[in-house]
Amino acid sequence: MINIKKYEIKAIKLSEINSSQRREVKPMRLSELSTDKLTPVKYRQTSTPIQPVQQPAYTQNTRQAEPVRTAPPVQQPSGKITARPKLPPADKLLRKGEKYSITKNHPSAVSLRAGIGWDFSENVAYDIDIEAFMLNDTEKVPDDSWIVFYGQLKSPDGAVIHRGDSANGQNFGIDCEQIDINLNAVNKQISKIALVMTINEAKLHGYNFSGIKDAYIRFSDVQTGKEIFRYELTDYYPEVVSMVVGELYFRNNEWRFNPVGMGTGDDLEGLCNRYGIEVK
């Protein structure tokens, strides 16, 4: 069982606390204080006597009511969203559903960095997360430890590492969030790694992918830093709150990438249930 909540605050009502748990404050009388424990305060004598503060004279005819002072209005966010740097042109741009062999086209690229980015189509920004579900041949995770996300940054085999949550999507320059994948270190029971974008608390606030644009996933060789291929998403629907961006899968002794771009109405909890993870 895994906890996917970013923030969890439990409110406790006073009525739920019994009388034995409440701290009683007993008033103390002045006669109960011990005078021998009190230290007298010494005042330094000054040569110049302190002059009383002169209050301005008012008459009923000349005194004016002091204007009521109110707190300044709370400044609401302007809604202006900082634009991310633009991506350079891709050397290899995949189409949706186009299977691409990493092993054949880039045999030396075994340590990969998956960078995912997006912009917002409206003046409303929200927290988007990326997750990696490591699946076996049954399309399920072997157990709850095989999801890599903001609450669990490393897979049990050490092959997949989440580089950290970015609530505003601006921690990694061009990319909003990143996941590193060492293909040679992936456990043999794992045959597929599903890379997913989810909107945090989407159903609570009514967020969806219609407010997102220019989303992509790109893979770079960690050793050289060079981007080797990219997939750009094109479909953004109001009923979508999560997106399976793509899948890395192992078949016939080679690693391939499938640009999926499939949206779903399931949030992160729903995806966890789909892939065999129990959420608390």
Side-chain angles (χ1 to χ4, degrees):
M1 184 177 293
I2 196 166
N3 184 9
I4 64 173
K5 293 183 179 180
K6 285 193 174 183
Y7 313 103
E8 186 174 11
I9 301 175
K10 183 180 180 182
I12 301 176
K13 298 180 180 179
L14 184 61
S15 59
E16 296 175 353
I17 304 175
N18 57 47
S19 58
S20 62
Q21 294 175 306
R22 300 180 185 176
R23 187 181 65 175
E24 296 184 359
V25 180
K26 181 181 179 182
M28 181 176 289
R29 299 177 180 177
L30 184 62
S31 59
E32 294 176 356
L33 292 174
S34 176
T35 56
D36 59 346
K37 294 182 180 180
L38 299 178
T39 303
V41 179
K42 296 182 179 181
Y43 293 92
R44 183 167 57 91
Q45 299 293 331
T46 58
S47 56
T48 305
I50 299 175
Q51 299 296 326
V53 177
Q54 297 295 325
Q55 299 292 339
Y58 292 100
T59 65
Q60 188 170 359
N61 295 332
T62 60
R63 182 173 181 176
Q64 297 180 352
E66 184 178 357
V68 177
R69 299 183 182 273
T70 59
V74 178
Q75 297 295 323
Q76 299 294 336
S78 62
K80 185 177 181 181
I81 301 170
T82 304
R84 290 181 302 104
K86 294 298 181 182
L87 283 169
D91 291 336
K92 177 61 179 177
L93 187 62
L94 301 182
R95 299 184 304 272
K96 185 175 182 177
E98 178 184 358
K99 309 297 192 299
Y100 187 74
S101 175
I102 301 172
T103 304
K104 287 182 177 179
N105 293 291
H106 308 279
S108 62
V110 295
S111 184
L112 305 178
R113 175 160 294 162
I116 298 181
W118 58 84
D119 286 312
F120 294 96
S121 58
E122 302 173 355
N123 286 331
V124 178
Y126 31 83
D127 183 12
I128 298 177
D129 303 301
I130 60 174
E131 299 87 22
F133 291 89
M134 304 181 70
L135 313 175
N136 56 26
D137 291 336
T138 66
E139 297 284 324
K140 303 289 185 181
V141 296
D143 59 57
D144 292 353
S145 62
W146 293 94
I147 172 179
V148 178
F149 72 121
Y150 54 79
Q152 192 165 262
L153 299 179
K154 190 175 182 179
S155 62
D157 55 9
V160 180
I161 298 175
H162 194 299
R163 300 196 69 220
D165 180 49
S166 177
N168 59 8
Q170 297 179 1
N171 288 8
F172 301 97
I174 293 178
D175 301 328
C176 295
E177 292 195 4
Q178 296 174 337
I179 288 182
D180 287 352
I181 304 168
N182 187 334
L183 298 177
N184 285 348
V186 176
N187 190 286
K188 298 301 182 183
Q189 66 178 324
I190 302 300
S191 57
K192 181 183 291 186
I193 302 173
L195 296 165
V196 180
M197 293 174 61
T198 59
I199 302 174
N200 184 45
E201 297 184 338
K203 294 185 176 181
L204 178 63
H205 301 291
Y207 300 148
N208 57 69
F209 266 75
S210 66
I212 297 172
K213 66 177 183 178
D214 300 334
Y216 67 86
I217 183 170
R218 66 189 189 116
F219 284 83
S220 303
D221 186 341
V222 173
Q223 298 299 322
T224 64
K226 179 178 174 59
E227 180 184 306
I228 56 178
F229 65 90
R230 186 190 309 170
Y231 167 53
E232 297 176 350
L233 283 74
T234 57
D235 300 325
Y236 308 95
Y237 300 112
E239 64 269 18
V240 170
V241 298
S242 299
M243 181 77 70
V244 181
V245 181
E247 297 172 338
L248 285 167
Y249 65 100
F250 190 73
R251 182 174 299 171
N252 297 329
N253 292 321
E254 63 181 71
W255 280 101
R256 305 175 184 177
F257 179 73
N258 177 24
V260 178
M262 181 185 69
T264 174
D266 290 335
D267 55 7
L268 179 55
E269 181 176 354
L271 288 172
C272 286
N273 293 331
R274 178 189 300 184
Y275 290 127
I277 298 173
E278 187 177 356
V279 176
K280 65 178 179 180

